[in-house]
Amino acid sequence: MSEPIVVGIDGSEESDRAVRWAAAEAVLRERALHIVHALESWPYKAPLFKPAQSTERMTRAGHRLLTATRERIQEQWPALEVTTALVAEEIPQALHAQSDKAFELVLGSRGRGGFASMLLGSTSLRMAARPTVPVVIVHGDAADRGEVVVGIDLLRDVGAVLDYAFETAALRDARLRVVHAWQTFGTLIEAGYAVDGEQIERDLRAEVVQTCAPLRAKYPRVDVVDEIILEHPVTALSNASRNARLLVVGAHQRRWTAPRLGSIAHGVIHHARCPVAVIPSA
């Protein structure tokens, strides 16, 4: 069986949106859907603080949630292969283990237990910071129309990011907008340098075109728009997400310390208006 689409659920409205997005994605990519619900393992480790009856209730509730979710999804997509897993483990560890051999992992932007003012749930943020497969964070009601937007940094290896973006646009018969945002213009002026902004933009556009050339050849039917923007990347990509069905960015982890999400991806997944796919660094 091909690698499945894995989605984590917790019964929240956000996870309901995520599982619907994941199911549609699985159908589109002709893959199975694997639905995971994690029970935090602390009740099993601290019986003095959590009666056995409560643990059993949590387990039964978890099974009911998975069964109801699977039935709801199969009612809408009867041909879709759906499997489920109830895992007694800390949520991040459970999701990492369940998605280890997946094509991608899908999560809601927020879950149960967090403050309502938080723009992104801690689990989603942690999973996006340490991705081994693409992690899709579903914001609000995902649109099934619009562009696919990909943000690229020409100073990094963007092969995996572009591969995912082009394939996604091709599958959805969507326009692909390739965005490269830069901010050196103002810095150079302040330092006293004479800057030809138009020439810089032409050079950057030529580099973007060259970088995308192999994938344009591979996906000739994808309509590609190159956009070079003099703006902070988070602002540029967040604005582009308003008319997008999916925004694709690289994780760009900081490897010399504990795993942390790159600042651009971190900002984008907080402020985007559409689902965000975070692609692991090569």
Side-chain angles (χ1 to χ4, degrees), residues 7-12 15-16 19 35-38 65-66 69 95 107:
V7 59
I9 66 169
D10 61 6
S12 65
S15 81
D16 287 346
V19 77
I35 306 172
V36 178
H37 177 60
L65 174 62
L66 287 169
T69 303
L95 292 174
L107 299 169

Side-chain angles (χ1 to χ4, degrees), residues 13 31 45 49 52 69 71 84 86 90 136 139 150 158 168 186 195 197 200-201 205 219 222 264 266 274 276:
E13 184 178 350
R31 295 178 180 274
K45 295 178 180 179
F49 300 97
T69 303
E71 290 176 350
T84 63
L86 181 68
E90 279 78 7
V136 179
H139 290 263
V150 57
V158 294
T168 298
V195 176
I200 292 175
E201 182 177 345
R205 188 177 301 279
Y219 298 98
V222 174
I264 304 304
H266 186 281
C274 68
V276 179

Side-chain angles (χ1 to χ4, degrees), residues 121-178:
S122 59
T123 296
S124 300
L125 190 59
R126 288 180 65 180
M127 299 307 298
R130 301 176 56 193
T132 55
V133 298
V135 175
V136 179
I137 299 169
V138 179
H139 290 263
D141 292 320
D144 57 2
R145 290 182 290 181
E147 302 175 327
V148 173
V149 175
V150 57
I152 64 171
D153 181 349
L154 294 172
L155 297 179
R156 300 180 183 272
D157 181 0
V158 294
V161 175
L162 286 175
D163 282 342
Y164 183 96
F166 268 86
E167 181 185 26
T168 298
L171 283 171
R172 288 166 167 75
D173 194 24
R175 171 182 291 172
L176 177 63
R177 183 172 297 275
V178 181

Side-chain angles (χ1 to χ4, degrees), residues 51-226:
Q53 295 89 340
S54 180
T55 298
E56 292 173 2
R57 285 198 298 271
M58 291 172 61
T59 301
R60 289 195 298 270
H63 282 300
R64 287 196 299 270
L65 174 62
L66 287 169
T67 298
T69 303
R70 184 184 64 237
E71 290 176 350
R72 188 169 65 249
I73 292 301
Q74 290 187 317
E75 182 178 353
Q76 185 170 357
W77 292 281
L80 176 61
E81 180 182 351
V82 182
T83 58
T84 63
L86 181 68
V87 185
E89 193 174 9
E90 279 78 7
I91 295 171
Q93 286 77 5
L95 292 174
H96 272 298
Q98 291 290 316
S99 64
D100 182 51
K101 296 181 180 179
F103 174 77
E104 67 188 5
L105 171 65
V106 181
L107 299 169
S109 57
R110 291 185 299 188
R112 294 192 182 279
F115 294 101
S117 61
M118 292 294 287
L119 294 179
L120 186 72
S122 59
T123 296
S124 300
L125 190 59
R126 288 180 65 180
M127 299 307 298
R130 301 176 56 193
T132 55
V133 298
V135 175
V136 179
I137 299 169
V138 179
H139 290 263
D141 292 320
D144 57 2
R145 290 182 290 181
E147 302 175 327
V148 173
V149 175
V150 57
I152 64 171
D153 181 349
L154 294 172
L155 297 179
R156 300 180 183 272
D157 181 0
V158 294
V161 175
L162 286 175
D163 282 342
Y164 183 96
F166 268 86
E167 181 185 26
T168 298
L171 283 171
R172 288 166 167 75
D173 194 24
R175 171 182 291 172
L176 177 63
R177 183 172 297 275
V178 181
V179 177
H180 175 66
W182 60 293
Q183 279 197 307
T184 56
F185 188 76
T187 303
L188 291 172
I189 289 178
E190 291 174 4
Y193 291 94
V195 176
D196 185 344
E198 292 183 357
Q199 184 60 51
I200 292 175
E201 182 177 345
R202 285 193 295 270
D203 292 343
L204 288 173
R205 188 177 301 279
E207 190 172 351
V208 168
V209 170
Q210 182 179 7
T211 300
C212 294
L215 287 162
R216 284 178 183 263
K218 183 177 179 180
Y219 298 98
R221 298 183 62 182
V222 174
D223 179 17
V224 182
V225 175
D226 305 310

Side-chain angles (χ1 to χ4, degrees), residues 5 7 18-28 31 33 73 77 80:
I5 306 294
V7 59
V19 77
R20 291 195 299 271
W21 192 95
E25 173 85 338
V27 170
L28 185 64
R31 295 178 180 274
L33 178 67
I73 292 301
W77 292 281
L80 176 61

